[in-house]
Amino acid sequence: MRLLKPLAALAFSLALAGAARAETVKLGVVLTFSGVNAEYGEQIMRAMDLYLKLHGSELGNNKIEMIKRDSGPPTGAGAKTDVTELITQDHVNLLIGFIFSPDAIASAPVVTEAKVPMIVVNAGTAWITNLSPYIVRTSFSMWQSGYPMGTYAAKTLGCNTAAVGYTDYPPGKDELDAFKTGFEGAGGKVVDAIPMGNPVQVPDFTPFLQRVKDEKPNCFYVFVPAGVHAAALVKTYAELGLKAAGVRMIGPLDIVQDTKLQQMGDAAIGLTTIGHYAADYDNPANKAFVKAWHEAYGANAPPDFMAVAGWDGMAAAVHVIKVTNGKLEPDAVMGALKGWSFDSPRGHITIDPTTRDIVQDEHIQEVVKLPDGKLGEKVIETMPAVKDPCKELKVGKCGS
Ligand code: PHB
């Protein structure tokens, strides 16, 4: 009986030690919450909140405190200021977000200097992960779509000639280089490359698409940064009758974003794109994800590729908190992220330990009308476990 007292004391002190071990991790969230692209920030935020609601218990005693900042217009300036303040004033342990490439690019030197790990959940310019050893990406590289689609367009879609249209900023230029390298390497010829405005405002696409119609290439490969840009693009494609004129529009998944697909109407039917996610994907993780999404946000609010990258980004954050037990020493965080793999709604993903970039399946898919009258994506072909071709080929800035 005399043992009971010391045992009770031991149990009490262990409980205290356990309680003391609980950490609050400060997560700096940098997303676009204003302007024409505000819906992207909302979509990613919804995904991160949903992940925490459903998987927050995996944190054990540890907690996440999110400090959110609006990166504003995608020039890089707002995000850089946000990141600097989040690090120096809020003392965040980890950064997450970065929809637009200029925002990630401008923030890279700051996170390198401060050694604060940064999880990129959208920005797709291939060489972003080369800019800092503290950057990891859970979204995509533009080369994961542009390069294989270039090859596919020349070899399988029968495009001998193509024009390329792109929003004129780093990911657009990267997508052009990626498509051109794949397409011309497979025997095609890019006959025109058309810069089509900037991501801050949606241009009138008419002059660009009329130019393509007049040039009559077999295919028109287009990158625009999703959302309202994609909706306007497909509308103009239909209005100018490019399809009837024999010009087939193709592109990365950004031009048929799930959140915009239904409003595009029949004009979108037949669009062939390459991508790593569509809300229709038939795998158990996606079925569960889409169900939870509709329960949380309504039957008419689909998730999309941005939502999935936010979901996977938060899964990565929870993973590092578990592995480090909430002590986010920068090199331990990066160690936990390198080689991390996860059953995402998009399929199985891995973070390449060498490049810190995502490895994922890419699918050639086509917009079809489903039996219920809605538009959906039919997967035509899958390219498994695609590593960023820009880094594999060591092209341009990816070579450094
Ligand atoms: C980017 O800026 O890297 C970006 C933005 C929107 C997209 C894709 C890429 O849909």
Side-chain angles (χ1 to χ4, degrees):
M1 285 302 266
R2 273 197 326 205
L3 254 183
L4 275 182
K5 262 192 176 169
L7 275 181
L10 181 65
F12 182 66
S13 49
L14 281 177
L16 269 185
R21 273 203 304 271
E23 307 280 346
T24 296
V25 172
K26 286 192 175 186
L27 196 56
V29 180
V30 181
L31 292 169
T32 310
F33 292 117
S34 59
V36 290
N37 304 305
E39 59 193 68
Y40 307 166
E42 190 195 351
Q43 189 78 344
I44 292 173
M45 208 55 244
R46 283 178 159 195
M48 298 204 296
D49 285 341
L50 190 60
Y51 191 86
L52 282 181
K53 189 172 146 204
L54 300 180
H55 296 276
S57 60
E58 292 172 23
L59 294 170
N61 288 332
N62 300 313
K63 288 195 169 34
I64 287 183
E65 181 194 342
M66 284 200 258
I67 306 169
K68 298 174 202 170
R69 291 291 163 90
D70 176 12
S71 41
T75 60
K80 188 173 184 180
T81 305
D82 291 341
V83 164
T84 307
E85 286 180 5
L86 284 165
I87 292 174
T88 57
Q89 293 173 17
D90 299 300
H91 305 289
V92 297
N93 309 98
L94 185 61
L95 289 154
I96 192 165
F98 308 94
I99 294 172
F100 286 94
S101 288
D103 297 343
I105 294 166
S107 302
V110 185
V111 301
T112 306
E113 176 74 20
K115 295 194 174 152
V116 176
M118 159 174 167
I119 300 175
V120 173
V121 302
N122 190 71
T125 304
W127 39 269
I128 284 174
T129 52
N130 292 46
L131 295 178
S132 171
Y134 292 99
I135 293 181
V136 67
R137 178 157 53 194
T138 64
S139 50
F140 52 86
S141 152
M142 310 314 283
W143 281 68
Q144 281 176 324
S145 52
Y147 182 74
M149 190 55 153
T151 311
Y152 187 83
K155 289 198 169 156
T156 311
L157 294 180
C159 312
N160 298 320
T161 54
V164 179
Y166 60 97
T167 304
D168 193 10
Y169 77 123
K173 293 177 191 160
D174 215 24
E175 190 81 39
L176 163 64
D177 289 347
F179 179 81
K180 193 170 177 185
T181 307
F183 189 60
E184 298 199 335
K189 178 81 194 127
V190 171
V191 292
D192 199 3
I194 310 171
M196 305 193 300
N198 61 57
V200 182
Q201 62 208 106
V202 181
D204 177 355
F205 286 101
T206 309
F208 311 122
L209 270 64
Q210 184 62 50
R211 174 165 149 187
V212 174
K213 191 178 174 189
D214 295 343
E215 288 166 346
K216 292 193 181 39
N218 305 129
C219 289
F220 179 37
Y221 185 80
V222 192
F223 165 75
V224 292
V228 282
H229 303 263
L233 170 76
V234 175
K235 188 166 173 279
T236 310
Y237 172 69
E239 279 168 4
L240 290 188
L242 265 79
K243 197 167 159 185
V247 181
R248 181 173 190 171
M249 189 158 81
I250 57 177
L253 83 176
D254 312 67
I255 65 167
V256 287
Q257 191 180 15
D258 285 295
T259 45
K260 293 286 175 238
L261 192 58
Q262 302 312 324
Q263 79 185 56
M264 287 176 180
D266 287 359
I269 295 175
L271 286 179
T272 304
T273 61
I274 183 167
H276 54 269
Y277 184 74
D280 298 323
Y281 283 2
D282 189 11
N283 69 61
N286 191 44
K287 293 269 173 234
F289 174 64
V290 172
K291 184 168 178 284
W293 188 276
H294 286 314
E295 279 165 12
Y297 303 120
N300 293 323
D304 63 352
F305 70 92
M306 295 213 184
V308 161
W311 175 268
D312 294 347
M314 189 52 86
V318 168
H319 166 75
V320 295
I321 295 167
K322 277 195 295 193
V323 169
T324 62
N325 198 17
K327 296 187 177 53
L328 268 63
E329 191 275 316
D331 293 318
V333 171
M334 295 314 295
L337 288 170
K338 289 178 191 172
W340 173 67
S341 67
F342 180 60
D343 279 319
S344 159
R346 65 180 109 179
H348 195 70
I349 59 169
T350 310
I351 298 298
D352 183 328
T354 313
T355 63
R356 289 162 279 100
D357 216 341
I358 190 163
V359 182
Q360 60 190 335
D361 295 351
E362 289 288 337
H363 310 278
I364 303 288
Q365 44 206 25
E366 192 182 313
V367 178
V368 291
K369 194 165 245 178
L370 300 172
D372 64 2
K374 288 194 173 158
L375 297 180
E377 293 285 357
K378 182 174 162 210
V379 173
I380 311 283
E381 190 177 316
T382 296
M383 302 165 188
V386 178
K387 287 186 172 192
D388 177 15
C390 186
K391 298 188 191 80
E392 291 288 287
L393 298 169
K394 300 199 188 324
V395 189
K397 285 188 190 160
C398 291
S400 56

